[in-house]
Amino acid sequence: MRKFLGRFGRRSPKPPGSDHAPGRWSARRLRRRLRSLLSVRSLAGQVFLLQLAVVGLVVVAALVALVLQARRDSMADARNRTLTAAETFAKSPGLLTALERPDPTAVLQPSAEAVRRAAGVDAVIVYRPDGITLTHSDPEQIGKHVIGPYAEAAAGKSFTRTFQGALGLSVISAVPVKDTGNAVVAIVSSVVTVGNVQDRVNQQLPVLSGVAAGSLALAAGGSALVSRRLQKQTHGLGPTEMTRMYEHHDAVLHAVREGVLIVGGGGRLLLANDEARRLLDLPEDAERRHVSALGLNADLAGLLTSDRPATDEVHLAADRLLAVNKRFTAAQGPASVVVTLRDTTELQALSGRAETARRRLELLYDAGVRIGTTLDVTRTAEELAEVAVPRFADVVTVELLDPVLQGEEPSGVSTEMRRTAVVGLEGDHLLYPAGKLIRFGAAHPMAAGAADGRAVLVEDLSAAEGWRAQDPDRARRVLDHGIHSLILVPLRARGVVLGAAHYWRANASAPFEEEDVFFAEELAARAAVCIDNARRYTREHTMAVTLQRSLLPSRVPEQTALEVAYRYLPARAGVGGDWFDVIPLSGARVALVVGDVVGHGLHAAATMGRLRTAVHNFSVLDIPPEELLGRVDELVAQIDSEEAAVDGEGQGITGATCLYAVYDPASGHLAVATAGHPGPAVVRPDGTVDFPELPVSPPLGLGAGLPDESAELTVPEGSRLVLYTDGLIEDRDRDLDVGMAALRDALAGPDRSPEDTCAVVVDAMMTDRPRDDIALLVARTHRLDPTRVAEWQVPRDPAAVAPARAACLRRLQEWGLEQIDFAAELVLSELITNAIRYGTEPITVRLLRDRTLICEVSDCSSTSPRLRRAKVTDEGGRGLFLVARFAERWGTRYMPTGKVIWAELSLHGGAGPSVEGLAEFLLDEEELLSGEGGELNGTAR
């Protein structure tokens, strides 16, 4: 410690013999400092060299940039000067007159030389369009053909180029000279050699180099000052040494199991590590405060402020005995001191029990990790027994009350328990096996433990008369096996006894003692909380499953269009909101519905019931699938808005998905609409699988009033329609595409019944622990026999009622339905008459013989009939009342081009009165209406 802290507190003595040679010592010290400054081993040296390198690179880069800039500027200046000189000479007065003389060279050569000298260019050359030189700086070139590009200038355009000419690499500018007719009569070019340009740049290099050298020297000086300052602050240490010093500092002050204090001059605390704070119970703001203000024992505070060292002095600090060591950090005096503290309280007393306590703590930790890994009551009891064997007991048994196993809360204290777990015995069970219902007697230790809820210790089983009296023969065999000691602990949670845990020791294991009882109670208490959580989860799960099962269809309704099979598999994590439905519609059509609600638990199950009820209610309206989902979407948005307005924290329904499909067995058409739900799979009779593409619509509650869309399909007879929720195709180990491919493989192949298809799909797609509910609905399609369908077109003429009625009666006779011909004739007469009177053409009558006789009359109007009261004096207005009286069901469904009024009649004729009773029925109705004073009009639109 003193070596560590004294490194910065002492100065190295001067070298011997240095006083008699001050000059030599100063030079030597300067060289040493310079070597230290330039050494890469020290942090200051590394910083200095790094700064010097960076500055050098910056200066060199700047110098290169300036030289390049100067060269570029010189070349630009050369281009400007040559072009200016050429244009000036080309536009000079008298040039055209001189060109027209017999000897233009004599006139132009002096002028060209004057312009050359004035402009600072190397040559001003005038030549004719054919390239013959008229003036030149070299007289020998006059009269010769010019070398270089001049065709562009001869064409009337000025240019500036760099090329290799007679004067070497040069910059040349050429300007055409035009006469009054805009014809080129000569060309003036001005030339500057690149060598002259380079000479100007070279003249600037000394100045630039001097500036760079000065900048480098100034930066080096600044870096040296910074590095010198850094060297003084780091004491010449290198990075490795500083890192090691920091690690030593952290280890000494925080990682060691000894308290460390540094007290400065004046008795103020400069530093305290975590262990010292714990041992002395120091406040958070202890540093920089005086030792006497820290609430320490007077003797200990006096030692810390005194000027004497100490070695292993024992001082009292609260309820701890501390061994104190004190050392000074400087040899000259007590400028600051370092104090170390060690806790020696009960060191000897704890030395023998430390290993036992460590094992117990480790066992408790393992119990917290291993008990309660599942929400299964039986498995949690088994985990308690597995944790305690063999580290605490040789055999452990756990008994629970039957209501606990069923998820219910016990109503009172009971000693009748069912053994749930047995761990530690193999082969022939000496103790009662798991699953056995045990009725503990009044003398058994279990009775006393259950009564007061406390653990019972039986150190010697052979002397426990009450335990032996429970089952003497079994008790004797248990003792003969070597089991000799027992701790019985009731499993209590929230003040309720759930069961009991029996810890047994056998053979060479030491008997249980009193201190073991506390540990057994702690272990049982942790397990009891987990068992109670599992019990409550079991109850909630059972309630949710029961609620969901009650909300799902208990059976498939009777219909002939589809052969249906289904599966519903709840998730292991909790009940979800997946659901399905089969809804018979008018005209022998059937609606297939599959939906999924976000989330799990009771809220999801209740939400599923609300959505299923809403779909049922909207399906009665016989509206298209896309319109039905649109109304459900509006309902979901309204419910969410109302719940948010009430408490602001409602879970809401938004995000639920639904698929609604309507199959028509008369035509084989399938109309499908989806709100965020996966589309159906269509398995054709040949075994091929198709996933039709459907219009994409958002989940329920997110439609924002946008219209939904549907898809129209025609499926062959015998095809299987497979509707499912996303839990079937999505899983942790596979993405959506993989799930769809697996579903396709499971559905493909030979023709199967819907029930077999469900079994194959579940076996292929089901995982061990599904994370989401799975709803699967498989329906095989059937077509109505064409001989069971009759259709006629009826003109809009009252005279056409009788022929249409007669044709319908003939078809009923062909079908053998004479027993209902009167009711059918009456219903058809009313429906056809209404269509002719109030509808528009075309008017179609259709009969379908299914489980009932379905009478349909369609027209192109959108008005719908309704029942209303008719006056006693009205001659009509009771037709639809008769339809409703004779038909089992009747209603209206709309089509894109009109409506269909339909009525279903029982094939056995039991829906309405007979022919003989019709008059009596009508008279009774007249009397009833006259007594009530109301009216009933069945034809009002």
Side-chain angles (χ1 to χ4, degrees):
M1 179 66 68
R2 294 180 60 189
K3 181 179 179 181
F4 166 73
L5 295 172
R7 176 158 189 154
F8 299 115
R10 299 177 181 175
R11 294 183 178 271
S12 301
K14 294 181 180 180
S18 61
D19 294 338
H20 67 279
R24 181 179 301 173
W25 167 242
S26 298
R28 185 181 302 171
R29 184 169 60 182
L30 181 60
R31 288 195 298 272
R32 186 167 64 245
R33 288 183 178 177
L34 184 59
R35 285 196 299 269
S36 176
L37 190 63
L38 296 177
S39 175
V40 296
R41 298 182 59 184
S42 67
L43 180 63
Q46 291 183 5
V47 172
F48 174 73
L49 294 178
L50 179 61
Q51 289 179 335
L52 195 61
V54 171
V55 170
L57 290 176
V58 171
V59 170
V60 171
L63 180 60
V64 172
L66 289 174
V67 171
L68 294 178
Q69 183 66 30
R71 180 172 297 175
R72 187 179 64 179
D73 292 343
S74 299
M75 290 296 292
D77 179 67
R79 293 187 180 95
N80 293 335
R81 284 190 290 116
T82 56
L83 183 60
T84 301
E87 288 180 346
T88 301
F89 193 82
K91 296 179 181 180
S92 62
L95 179 61
L96 294 176
T97 305
L99 290 174
E100 294 174 356
R101 292 186 178 184
D103 186 10
T105 300
V107 178
L108 296 178
Q109 179 67 15
S111 301
E113 286 299 310
V115 172
R116 178 185 66 81
R117 288 191 295 270
V121 298
D122 293 332
V124 175
I125 305 172
V126 180
Y127 49 92
R128 296 200 303 262
D130 58 358
I132 300 302
T133 304
L134 299 179
T135 67
H136 200 283
S137 59
D138 184 5
E140 296 181 358
Q141 299 296 326
I142 296 175
K144 297 182 179 180
H145 196 279
V146 70
I147 300 175
Y150 64 92
E152 188 175 353
K157 294 184 179 179
S158 302
F159 68 89
T160 300
R161 301 278 178 80
T162 301
F163 81 108
Q164 187 73 32
L167 300 178
L169 185 62
S170 306
V171 177
I172 180 173
S173 295
V175 177
V177 179
K178 301 179 181 179
D179 59 8
T180 56
N182 204 28
V184 178
V185 296
I187 300 171
V188 178
S189 63
S190 178
V191 182
V192 174
T193 60
V194 175
N196 292 338
V197 175
Q198 188 64 36
D199 290 340
R200 294 189 179 184
V201 176
N202 294 338
Q203 292 174 3
Q204 300 178 14
L205 285 178
V207 177
L208 296 177
S209 300
V211 172
S215 300
L216 182 60
L218 181 61
S223 299
L225 292 177
V226 173
S227 300
R228 178 58 182 168
R229 180 63 178 174
L230 181 62
Q231 185 180 29
K232 288 182 178 180
Q233 294 181 348
T234 58
H235 297 270
L237 295 177
T240 303
E241 294 175 318
M242 294 189 67
T243 301
R244 186 166 59 252
M245 290 290 289
Y246 175 80
E247 293 173 349
H248 291 171
H249 175 274
D250 187 74
V252 170
L253 295 182
H254 300 288
V256 297
R257 298 298 301 170
E258 288 188 356
V260 178
L261 299 175
I262 298 181
V263 182
R268 293 189 177 276
L269 181 63
L270 301 180
L271 186 143
N273 70 345
D274 298 337
E275 184 67 8
R277 291 178 179 273
R278 186 186 69 83
L279 294 176
L280 299 178
D281 196 18
L282 297 177
E284 293 293 334
D285 58 343
E287 295 179 355
R288 298 298 176 183
R289 294 175 60 181
H290 198 273
V291 173
S292 60
L294 299 178
L296 303 178
N297 183 276
D299 293 340
L300 179 57
L303 174 62
L304 297 181
T305 56
S306 67
D307 57 354
R308 65 178 181 86
T311 301
D312 290 335
E313 288 187 11
V314 179
H315 289 266
L316 183 65
D319 57 345
R320 296 186 179 91
L321 289 177
L322 305 179
V324 183
N325 290 272
K326 176 183 175 183
R327 295 292 185 272
F328 298 104
T329 59
Q332 290 79 4
S336 60
V337 294
V338 176
V339 180
T340 60
L341 310 169
R342 285 183 292 108
D343 189 3
T344 60
T345 308
E346 299 180 355
L347 182 60
Q348 296 299 325
L350 294 176
S351 59
R353 303 169 58 186
E355 184 61 24
T356 302
R358 186 192 64 80
R359 289 197 299 266
R360 295 285 173 85
L361 289 175
E362 183 179 354
L363 180 56
L364 287 177
Y365 173 78
D366 290 344
V369 174
R370 295 174 55 185
I371 299 177
T373 58
T374 66
L375 291 173
D376 182 82
V377 175
T378 301
R379 180 56 191 156
T380 304
E382 293 172 351
E383 290 171 344
L384 167 61
E386 292 170 355
V387 166
V389 176
R391 290 188 288 177
F392 179 68
D394 298 310
V395 180
V396 175
T397 61
V398 181
E399 295 78 34
L400 297 175
L401 298 174
D402 274 346
V404 175
L405 292 172
Q406 298 168 6
E408 303 296 330
E409 185 170 346
S411 58
V413 178
S414 174
T415 58
E416 185 176 282
M417 302 181 183
R418 189 174 300 277
R419 180 148 288 173
T420 308
V422 179
V423 175
L425 287 178
E426 298 180 359
D428 183 23
H429 291 292
L430 298 173
L431 305 175
Y432 292 116
K436 174 71 174 178
L437 182 64
I438 306 173
R439 295 177 176 87
F440 295 101
H444 195 277
M446 182 67 230
D452 57 10
R454 301 180 66 86
V456 178
L457 170 63
V458 182
E459 297 184 12
D460 187 3
L461 284 174
S462 61
E465 296 295 336
W467 174 78
R468 297 177 62 182
Q470 173 76 20
D471 191 340
D473 293 337
R474 188 178 295 273
R476 179 180 51 79
R477 286 189 287 126
V478 168
L479 293 174
D480 293 342
H481 189 73
I483 298 177
H484 55 76
S485 185
L486 166 68
I487 294 180
L488 185 151
V489 184
L491 298 173
R492 293 170 53 90
R494 298 181 295 108
V496 178
V497 176
L498 307 177
H502 291 71
Y503 303 94
W504 313 79
R505 282 187 178 174
N507 300 325
S509 299
F512 287 113
E513 300 176 353
E514 286 293 339
E515 64 179 10
D516 295 321
V517 174
F518 299 105
F519 179 78
E521 289 180 332
E522 177 66 23
L523 196 61
R526 298 192 179 198
V529 173
C530 296
I531 291 175
D532 188 57
N533 289 338
R535 177 195 65 80
R536 296 170 68 183
Y537 170 78
T538 301
R539 181 186 62 184
E540 297 291 339
H541 184 73
T542 302
M543 291 173 57
V545 170
T546 303
L547 174 62
Q548 188 175 43
R549 294 287 186 186
S550 67
L551 295 176
L552 288 173
S554 58
R555 63 181 182 84
V556 177
E558 296 182 356
Q559 43 81 35
T560 57
L562 298 170
E563 179 186 352
V564 180
Y566 60 88
R567 293 289 189 276
Y568 173 75
L569 303 173
R572 295 292 180 90
V575 173
D578 292 10
W579 57 284
F580 64 91
D581 214 339
V582 179
I583 306 173
L585 302 176
S586 64
R589 298 171 305 127
V590 180
L592 301 176
V593 191
V594 172
D596 189 358
V597 176
V598 178
H600 295 84
L602 290 176
H603 180 268
T607 301
M608 177 268 291
R610 298 168 74 179
L611 289 181
R612 180 170 178 251
T613 302
V615 171
H616 255 285
N617 292 338
F618 286 132
S619 65
V620 174
L621 301 177
D622 239 340
I623 55 180
E626 68 275 11
E627 185 176 345
L628 184 142
L629 291 182
R631 296 197 178 191
V632 176
D633 178 79
E634 294 175 358
L635 176 64
V636 168
Q638 180 181 355
I639 292 175
D640 284 349
S641 177
E642 293 174 354
E643 290 184 355
V646 172
D647 54 11
E649 298 179 357
Q651 298 183 36
I653 310 176
T654 295
T657 63
C658 183
L659 183 144
Y660 189 85
V662 177
Y663 174 70
D664 187 354
S667 61
H669 288 172
L670 179 69
V672 186
T674 176
H677 199 86
V682 179
V683 185
R684 302 186 183 277
D686 59 359
T688 59
V689 182
D690 184 26
F691 293 95
E693 293 188 5
L694 306 179
V696 179
S697 297
L700 298 176
L702 301 175
L706 298 177
D708 293 307
E709 299 181 58
S710 63
E712 298 284 343
L713 309 174
T714 299
V715 294
E717 184 176 7
S719 299
R720 284 168 288 163
L721 307 177
V722 182
L723 283 67
Y724 51 89
T725 57
D726 57 1
L728 183 69
I729 56 176
E730 293 181 355
D731 191 75
R732 295 185 182 91
D733 301 328
R734 63 185 179 216
D735 56 19
L736 181 60
D737 293 337
V738 175
M740 295 294 288
L743 178 60
R744 181 188 294 273
D745 295 339
L747 293 174
D751 188 21
R752 305 185 185 96
S753 66
E755 189 66 32
D756 293 340
T757 302
C758 288
V760 170
V761 171
V762 169
D763 291 341
M765 306 294 292
M766 187 70 175
T767 59
D768 295 336
R769 299 186 62 84
R771 65 175 182 177
D772 196 4
D773 288 17
I774 296 176
L776 176 65
L777 184 63
V778 179
R780 186 200 300 272
T781 62
H782 296 289
R783 290 281 187 92
L784 283 180
D785 191 339
T787 61
R788 290 175 173 264
V789 180
E791 185 173 338
W792 298 273
Q793 297 291 329
V794 179
R796 194 166 181 265
D797 183 358
V801 175
R805 184 172 57 225
C808 293
L809 292 177
R810 285 194 300 272
R811 180 55 60 93
L812 292 179
Q813 293 174 0
E814 294 175 3
W815 287 344
L817 300 178
E818 294 87 351
Q819 68 274 17
I820 64 171
D821 56 358
F822 174 73
E825 181 180 7
L826 184 62
V827 169
L828 286 169
S829 296
E830 173 59 25
L831 297 182
I832 296 173
T833 302
N834 279 353
I836 293 175
R837 181 177 300 177
Y838 302 105
T840 58
E841 292 183 325
I843 299 174
T844 304
V845 177
R846 188 172 72 160
L847 297 180
L848 294 92
R849 182 183 178 184
D850 192 33
R851 305 180 68 86
T852 60
L853 177 65
I854 303 172
C855 305
E856 295 182 349
V857 177
S858 62
D859 61 74
C860 291
S861 68
S862 60
T863 57
S864 175
R866 62 183 178 87
L867 289 172
R868 68 179 181 88
R869 294 290 181 179
K871 296 180 181 180
V872 178
T873 57
D874 289 344
E875 296 183 0
R878 299 175 182 85
L880 283 184
F881 183 81
L882 294 176
V883 171
R885 186 66 177 84
F886 278 86
E888 289 187 344
R889 295 192 307 157
W890 75 280
T892 304
R893 71 173 182 268
Y894 290 94
M895 303 181 300
T897 58
K899 68 177 183 302
V900 176
I901 305 176
W902 55 270
E904 293 184 4
L905 283 74
S906 172
L907 299 181
H908 306 291
S914 62
V915 178
E916 294 77 6
L918 178 60
E920 181 180 355
F921 168 74
L922 292 176
L923 290 175
D924 292 341
E925 292 299 326
E926 290 290 346
E927 292 176 1
L928 176 63
L929 294 174
S930 62
E932 294 178 354
E935 64 177 357
L936 178 63
N937 186 354
T939 59
R941 300 279 174 158

